Amino acid sequence: MKKTIQISSVSFVALYIIAALCYPVFFNPSKLFFCDLMETNIGIEESINYGRPFAIASLISVATAVASFFIWFANQSKWSKLKKNFTKISGSLSAFLTAFIFTELHDQLLLLASVIGFFPLTIIATEMLKTKPKRISILGLISFLLLAVYNIVFYLNIYELFWPIMQKICIAICLIWINLEAVKTQTSKFAL
């Protein structure tokens, strides 16, 4: 699972960059959302978006990284079987729904993925807070906090100007954190 997280994360970044470069007009990440890369036609003249397949592939890559993280984190925990299965299933379901936000059901799938993903994220954040202070992942807690703030301002429809940049920051910090967790666990096992 750790390799899947790492490969999917790198694939996401590479495919995202290719999609942005193939976008028919200049893709400004501070003003446009990741979802804008998945539009079929762009602008008044409706230029064909040749970056769309790369954007969808990057979406699938990030969804794979997220689902793999939930499964990996639950598997390496000392939780009950029920808690592990709940985290794996709900986290993967949230990621699966996210993989289809390029469709006409974008808003509905995004809301559903956010609601379902809240529960496994809360379980992981709570578990992180229960651990000894030296084991708390500050970056993980920052990731959860940023995701919470972003979802709150988005669904309350406030600070709209900051949404696109907040989206990119949340994605970047979450991917950095889950990859650092995977690498940290991998290197600590080699040290044993």
Side-chain angles (χ1 to χ4, degrees), residues 68-131:
S68 298
F69 172 73
F70 282 117
I71 294 166
W72 168 77
F73 196 95
N75 282 340
Q76 61 96 29
S77 72
K78 294 178 181 165
W79 298 338
S80 69
K81 188 174 181 176
L82 179 65
K83 194 173 183 180
K84 282 183 180 188
N85 287 337
F86 177 79
T87 302
K88 290 191 276 189
I89 292 168
S90 59
S92 297
L93 179 60
S94 177
F96 177 77
L97 293 171
T98 301
F100 291 96
I101 61 172
F102 67 92
T103 66
E104 292 176 6
L105 298 173
H106 171 275
D107 295 343
Q108 296 87 345
L109 290 172
L110 198 56
L111 178 60
L112 195 54
S114 296
V115 170
I116 293 171
F118 169 80
F119 298 104
L121 280 174
T122 302
I123 290 170
I124 291 172
T126 304
E127 201 63 34
M128 288 170 55
L129 289 171
K130 284 183 193 177
T131 61

Side-chain angles (χ1 to χ4, degrees), residues 6 19 50 58 65 90 104 107 111 126 136 145 148 158-159 176 192:
Q6 294 165 343
Y50 294 107
S58 69
S90 59
E104 292 176 6
D107 295 343
L111 178 60
T126 304
I136 293 176
L145 180 64
I158 55 176
Y159 305 119
I176 290 168
L192 294 175

Side-chain angles (χ1 to χ4, degrees), residues 23-171:
Y23 196 71
V25 294
F26 174 70
F27 181 78
N28 184 345
S30 67
K31 295 193 189 292
L32 297 171
F33 289 96
F34 174 41
C35 303
D36 291 323
L37 288 172
M38 294 169 230
E39 293 292 324
T40 307
N41 296 311
I42 309 299
I44 298 168
E45 299 172 12
E46 294 202 1
S47 301
I48 295 172
N49 181 6
Y50 294 107
R52 186 172 195 255
F54 298 104
I56 292 170
S58 69
L59 178 64
I60 292 167
S61 292
V62 78
T64 301
V66 170
S68 298
F69 172 73
F70 282 117
I71 294 166
W72 168 77
F73 196 95
N75 282 340
Q76 61 96 29
S77 72
K78 294 178 181 165
W79 298 338
S80 69
K81 188 174 181 176
L82 179 65
K83 194 173 183 180
K84 282 183 180 188
N85 287 337
F86 177 79
T87 302
K88 290 191 276 189
I89 292 168
S90 59
S92 297
L93 179 60
S94 177
F96 177 77
L97 293 171
T98 301
F100 291 96
I101 61 172
F102 67 92
T103 66
E104 292 176 6
L105 298 173
H106 171 275
D107 295 343
Q108 296 87 345
L109 290 172
L110 198 56
L111 178 60
L112 195 54
S114 296
V115 170
I116 293 171
F118 169 80
F119 298 104
L121 280 174
T122 302
I123 290 170
I124 291 172
T126 304
E127 201 63 34
M128 288 170 55
L129 289 171
K130 284 183 193 177
T131 61
K132 296 178 184 175
K134 66 180 181 177
R135 297 201 55 205
I136 293 176
S137 172
I138 300 300
L139 189 56
L141 293 176
I142 290 169
S143 297
F144 295 133
L145 180 64
L146 285 173
L147 281 170
V149 169
Y150 176 61
N151 275 282
I152 289 167
V153 300
F154 183 79
Y155 288 113
L156 289 178
N157 205 23
I158 55 176
Y159 305 119
E160 191 173 340
L161 178 66
F162 300 107
W163 293 352
I165 201 72
M166 286 177 75
Q167 179 194 54
K168 309 311 177 300
I169 291 169
C170 285
I171 292 170

